[in-house]
Every structure is written in structure tokens, then in C-alpha cells.
Amino acid sequence: MAAIEVEGLERKFEGGITAVDGVDLEVADGEIFSFLGPNGAGKTTTVRMLTTLLRPTGGVARVSGHNVVEDPAAVRRSIGVALQEAALDPLMTGRELIRLQATLHALPPDQVTSRADALLRRVGLTDAADRRIGGYSGGMQRRLDLASALVHEPRVLFLDEPTTGLDPVSRKTIWEEVEKLNDEGTTVFLTTQYLEEADQLADRVAIISDGKIVAEGTPASLKAEVGKPRLEVSVAEGTPAECEDVLSEFGERLPAKDGTMIVELSRGAAEIAPVVRALDERGILVEALELVEPTLDDVFVEKTGQHLEAADDESAPDPGTGEREALAE
Amino acid sequence: MLSRQTWRVIGTLGLRSAKQTFRRPQLMAPLIVFPTLLLAIQVGGAGRAVDLEGFPPVDSFLAFMLAGAMIQSTLLAGNSGGIALAVDIEMGFTDRLLAAPIPRYAMVFGRLVGTALLGLFTAFWFLAIGFVFGVQFTEGPLGIVVMIALVVASAVAFGSIGAAIALRSGSASVVQGMFPLVFVILFLSTAFFPQDLLQQPAQAIAEYNPLSFIINAVRDPVVFAFTTEDMLKALLGIAIIGALGAVLCARAMRHRLRVG
């Protein structure tokens, strides 16, 4: 049985905004699945529907085999959720939050203390456990949020942009913890706007743009779809024409960039050594040589015509979130 | 019938709610500071009001005012509870609760338990002031117990209105904006002056203001004596406010769940 099954999932808000537009996906048990897209693409709205916080206006979604609309209580029992912008009460202590979460998930009272201690130890917050959360760093808050989502040992874990705004060290710590959880058998559904995060963590990635999934597959297969590795070569003055001739023998030439010649290697990285030998045989002095693999951003560009970062800058806040705020006023 | 687990959740959320108020001075201060200051100013500045013709016979103006101060405090406790709930909504904490396998109403009930605890605290506070300044409680210990029970029940009823506004608006500033209304409603009741000495139309409004019913019943054990009529009217007032709050809460919750 798949951990998450979604067919034609849709969410329209008042005012005609369609935040999620017919999403289909399936996440296998034990998989790390990443939902990649810029702000406003529909990632958070999708997570809110899958975690029963928002009712879909169309389609069907099942988590751990339970329909999110027909049996939301069963869904809630099987999932752990760490939402965007760690929803923590700054006046509570870390230990109080974990204990509260344990009570919400019906852990027997005699197990609450030991479970809280174990989770705080797991995320390295034992020393800070009795301090108020308001005094925690962003990374500590994220780790605490993650710990609180694990209190009932959920089968499926939803992480909505778990590392947004974190420094590289804190980000790496979260990644390691996510990988460890996955090794222990937890299915992870992760949304992110960071290419590197999706690339490093995910078994499979779905790229979402304007509420629709535009590409889905393993990071490697998605990258392979958009092209082959490129070799970027800078040579000493006086030899570029000759260099162009050599490079053309190994694959399709791409337009030069800032004086750097680029060739798409038809047989991939295996051709680096022959290229270097050929250049050397012709006496061409190479100043720099770099193999550039396609990235998920290239996939995003291929599918949407925009770079992920650029789309992020230009986009409005997530329609789901924005709409909620508007309606709340 | 609520399950044992649901009671456990409500109790835990109630305790968290009370702690949240005690740890946030801007929520706690209005419950105690404003009513105490107003009480001090009114007793100090208008103490001779008891000599007015038509003023009921009382030991002191403080004894008369104590009930008004208590109910003012519980109204503010309801408002503070609403603000705290709205803050929870704004910072996404309610999502944590909504994503947990607990009944939705437990979230509101938990908040109301917290407001009840604040009501209890304010009741003790003003009783302590009464004792310190020599107020005689004519109905003795039983009267004090009844006063406390009415104050706590009122806090829950007012809290339900605050919670409904918070759930509907999701905005702490909107709930805070209701703050001045507390004083309007209070001044149009028998909180600070006997009904017979109020001018029209305040007198007519005070006569039907449910707050007057509650205040009169809280006042009886201090300065007069229990009367069945006042007690029934108070319970009716609390029931009306509580029922209104419950209906509004249920509607606001449905709306919130619908829009996410």
C-alpha cells in the first residue's frame, strides 16, 4: 500500500484563486518524497489538505490508506506534521511542548516523561529543554518542532519547508535527522524551495508550479530528461577557434558564455578524459575546465520557462496562506 | 459523554492556557491592574455615594463595589482568553492542535478551562482585598463559595464570547479592539451604582443587562442576603451569554475549518 495516494487533488479559494489544480501523486512506503517549487506554487496548500487542515474542493487523497475527508481522525493518528514557520509557543519550554504533544497523541501518562526525554536527547535539546522556546535559535526551534512531530512515532511525516531561513549548519543537521528517520522506516513528504535539499534528500521529486505538477521522478531521471552534462572550457588567448573545433568532435556546441566555451557531452562525463587528451595533443593551453551536471533548476526552467529562484522572487505568497489571511481579516 | 482522553487533553490545554496568561504580562495585567485601580479610585473618590438617598444600606462602598470589580475582571479575563487564542491562530499554534487526533471542540474547551482558572484567581484576589479592608461577608463562608462559583461560571461564559471572536477573526488586534466595549457594558449595568440611582436610559438598560443579573447575585452574599430570584436571574444571565458564546464558537470554528 502506498503511504500517500492523491488523485486530481484540487483546492479553489473564494475569489477564484486555484491554489492546487488537479494534482496526482503517489508516495511509496518508506520513501522520501520532495515537493519542489517556488513560494505560491501550491506546496503548503497541498500539505494542508493532506494533513486534514484544509478541505479539498476536488479530487481524492489518502494518507496511510485513510481518506483525508472521510476519515480525518485516522489520518491524524498516523501522521506527524512540522509546518512551515515552526508553529511554537515562545512562552512554553521545549519540554512542555513535547509533553503537550504527547498528551494530544494519547500517549499513556506514565510514558510521557520518558518519551519527551528521549526525543529531546535525539534532537540535542536536553540542555535547553527547560528554557522557553522564545529563546531558542531558528535551528533549535526547527529541531524541537521535528521532535514534537515524532512523539507518537508516525508512519508518515510531513515537513513543510523544514529548513527555510536556517543557516547551513542547522540545515545539515535537519537533513541528517530526516535521513535517519527515513532509515528507520518513516515515509517523509517534504516541501522545499531549495534545489539542493530536494536533490540531496529525496528519493523522488515532484516539481510544482502554479498548482500543477510539471515534472516528477528521481532527481537523476529528471536531470537526465533535460540534457547531458556540459563541459565548460576556458583557454588561453589565441586558441579559441581551434578549441571550438576540438570540442565539436565530442558533442553539441552551446553558445559561449563570458568567453567560456560550452559543449554538451554526448556520452556524458566519460568523455572528459578524451577531451583533455585531444586538447593537449593540439597544444591548446587550457586555463579552466569544469563539468557541469544538469540541475533540478534546469528541469524547472525546461518545464516552466523560469529559474526556480527567479520564480520565487517574483511570486506572491502561497495562495493558500494568503487566502487564509485575507479571509481571517 | 467525553472520553477520559478528551478530559485529559482539555485539562492539559487549560493549564497551558492559564500559564500562557501568567507568562504574558500584557494579558495578565488588565485582569488585575485595571479593575483594582478602578476599584481604588472609585472607593477613594466616590465613597460618600453610600450617603445618597436611595442607596441601599451597606457597610461600606467597597463592599458594594467588590462584585462589580470581580465581574469586570472576569470580562477582561474572557477578553484576554480571546486575545491569547487569536495569538495562537496567528502564530499557527492552533494548526498543531487541529492536526492532532483530538476533537475540535477540545481546543475551545481547553481555552475556557484556562479562563475559568483565571476567574478563580481574580475571585481570590478581590476577596483578599475585601478581607484586608474589613469587608464583612453577610452570608459567611457559604456566601463566599457561591460568589466564587458565580465568578468562575461568568468567566467561562465571557470567555466563550472572546473565543468566538478570536476564531472568527483570527486576529488578536480585533479581539483587543473589543476591550472598550467591556467598560460600556459594565457602566450600563449595576456594577458600579445601584440601579435605582442610574439615570434613564442607563437604568432601563441595566434592568435587562444580563451583567446586572450576575453582579446582583455576586453582591448579595456580601452586602445583603441570598435571594432565589437574584440567583436564578444570574444563572439565566450566565446561561444566555454562555449559550450565545457556544453557538458563535461553533459557527466560527466551522468557518475556520472551511477556509483552512
Side-chain angles (χ1 to χ4, degrees):
Chain A
M1 183 180 62
I4 302 169
E5 297 165 279
V6 175
E7 291 162 37
L9 193 68
E10 181 188 272
R11 176 67 208 203
K12 286 184 175 152
F13 287 103
E14 286 169 26
I17 301 167
T18 303
V20 176
D21 190 2
V23 163
D24 298 310
L25 57 87
E26 191 170 308
V27 180
D29 236 349
E31 194 174 26
I32 298 183
F33 186 88
S34 176
F35 223 32
L36 177 70
N39 280 336
K43 303 186 300 290
T44 296
T45 307
T46 304
V47 167
R48 292 183 72 83
M49 287 191 281
L50 296 179
T51 55
T52 76
L53 291 172
L54 186 65
R55 212 181 161 88
T57 50
V60 181
R62 280 180 216 89
V63 178
S64 303
H66 309 292
N67 188 302
V68 296
V69 174
E70 290 165 8
D71 197 1
V75 172
R76 286 181 214 127
R77 275 193 294 273
S78 72
I79 61 170
V81 186
L83 292 168
Q84 204 175 354
E85 305 291 334
L88 304 168
D89 178 355
L91 300 176
M92 292 176 87
T93 67
R95 193 186 304 282
E96 284 173 345
L97 182 92
I98 302 284
R99 292 179 66 95
L100 170 68
Q101 197 77 15
T103 304
L104 296 177
H105 283 277
L107 244 72
D110 59 344
Q111 289 178 23
V112 169
T113 303
S114 57
R115 185 78 183 129
D117 288 346
L119 284 169
L120 289 163
R121 203 177 316 118
R122 174 171 191 149
V123 296
L125 289 174
T126 303
D127 292 343
D130 296 310
R131 274 168 41 202
R132 290 201 189 165
I133 296 166
Y136 284 16
S137 68
M140 289 165 81
Q141 290 192 1
R142 278 294 178 185
R143 272 148 49 207
L144 179 68
D145 199 17
L146 185 59
S148 76
L150 302 176
V151 83
H152 55 301
E153 298 176 328
R155 209 183 127 195
V156 183
L157 181 64
F158 287 91
L159 301 174
D160 192 10
E161 303 205 8
T163 63
T164 296
L166 294 188
D167 61 83
V169 176
S170 303
R171 186 173 295 176
K172 196 159 179 293
T173 310
I174 296 283
W175 288 1
E176 285 167 0
E177 196 54 49
V178 171
E179 280 172 335
K180 210 158 98 186
L181 281 165
N182 184 245
D183 289 344
E184 292 165 8
T186 309
T187 306
V188 181
F189 187 101
L190 168 100
T191 77
T192 183
Q193 48 181 310
Y194 296 132
L195 299 160
E196 194 192 355
E197 188 159 282
D199 212 352
Q200 287 250 340
L201 280 180
D203 297 316
R204 279 192 312 128
V205 176
I207 295 179
I208 183 167
S209 177
D210 293 329
K212 292 180 177 158
I213 291 183
V214 293
E216 190 186 332
T218 64
S221 69
L222 286 173
K223 287 185 282 191
E225 266 181 38
V226 294
K228 299 179 172 60
R230 298 190 306 264
L231 192 64
E232 297 187 356
V233 184
S234 301
V235 294
E237 277 183 31
T239 53
E242 213 173 339
C243 180
E244 282 175 7
D245 291 343
V246 173
L247 294 180
S248 299
E249 293 168 18
F250 292 92
E252 190 187 341
R253 285 279 321 286
L254 298 174
K257 188 173 70 180
D258 301 329
T260 301
M261 282 161 283
I262 306 171
V263 61
E264 193 176 70
L265 297 176
S266 51
R267 281 173 40 229
E271 279 186 322
I272 294 178
V275 170
V276 171
R277 270 198 300 274
L279 290 169
D280 188 45
E281 281 166 9
R282 304 271 185 98
I284 297 168
L285 190 61
V286 175
E287 285 184 338
L289 186 138
E290 189 180 3
L291 181 73
V292 181
E293 296 275 359
T295 65
L296 287 175
D297 191 43
D298 295 322
V299 181
F300 194 79
V301 172
E302 169 91 2
K303 302 293 181 184
T304 68
Q306 273 186 302
H307 286 282
L308 182 60
E309 283 78 8
D312 200 23
D313 291 342
E314 287 166 16
S315 62
D318 192 301
T321 313
E323 181 70 9
R324 281 193 304 119
E325 283 171 1
L327 287 166
E329 280 169 7
Chain B
M1 188 70 182
L2 302 184
S3 70
R4 200 170 162 171
Q5 164 62 10
T6 304
W7 279 114
R8 185 177 160 220
V9 168
I10 290 171
T12 305
L13 290 177
L15 213 57
R16 181 231 161 207
S17 162
K19 276 187 191 171
Q20 189 186 24
T21 309
F22 280 103
R23 287 175 184 178
R24 191 171 269 149
Q26 65 268 38
L27 289 178
M28 193 60 205
L31 313 189
I32 296 299
V33 177
F34 287 165
T36 307
L37 275 179
L38 197 63
L39 182 66
I41 290 165
Q42 285 178 313
V43 170
R48 289 180 60 198
V50 292
D51 299 331
L52 287 170
E53 195 178 331
F55 204 98
V58 292
D59 278 348
S60 66
F61 194 45
L62 175 63
F64 179 84
M65 292 294 290
L66 218 47
M70 281 181 178
I71 296 304
Q72 180 191 1
S73 195
T74 59
L75 269 169
L76 293 171
N79 192 250
S80 276
I83 293 171
L85 178 57
V87 168
D88 273 357
I89 294 168
E90 284 177 347
M91 69 183 174
F93 194 85
T94 47
D95 284 342
R96 178 179 295 282
L97 306 180
L98 292 171
I102 60 169
R104 308 302 215 205
Y105 59 79
M107 197 173 90
V108 177
F109 281 13
R111 179 62 58 186
L112 295 181
V113 168
T115 310
L117 291 172
L118 293 179
L120 191 65
F121 177 78
T122 58
F124 280 122
W125 174 263
F126 286 104
L127 284 170
I129 289 177
F131 282 122
V132 168
F133 290 96
V135 170
Q136 300 294 316
F137 293 84
T138 55
E139 288 285 4
L142 179 65
I144 291 171
V145 171
V146 171
M147 282 176 81
I148 292 170
L150 286 172
V151 167
V152 169
S154 308
V156 173
F158 301 144
S160 67
I161 302 285
I165 297 167
L167 284 170
R168 188 69 177 86
S169 69
S171 158
S173 53
V174 168
V175 187
Q176 196 149 25
M178 299 291 150
F179 186 81
L181 273 182
V182 168
F183 290 93
V184 174
I185 298 166
L186 269 174
F187 279 103
L188 292 172
S189 73
T190 54
F192 305 126
F193 234 60
Q195 190 182 317
D196 292 343
L197 294 183
L198 292 172
Q199 287 190 316
Q200 292 296 1
Q203 190 182 96
I205 296 170
E207 188 174 355
Y208 297 103
N209 186 344
L211 227 55
S212 299
F213 302 164
I214 301 167
I215 290 163
N216 293 344
V218 174
R219 184 173 286 144
D220 279 352
V222 192
V223 291
F224 310 118
F226 286 132
T227 69
T228 309
E229 188 190 346
D230 279 356
M231 190 57 69
L232 288 176
K233 277 182 170 178
L235 293 175
L236 181 69
I238 291 168
I240 289 171
I241 296 167
L244 180 68
V247 170
L248 293 176
C249 273
R251 290 183 59 161
M253 179 67 97
R254 268 201 302 275
H255 169 80
R256 182 145 294 281
L257 294 174
R258 197 173 59 244
V259 302

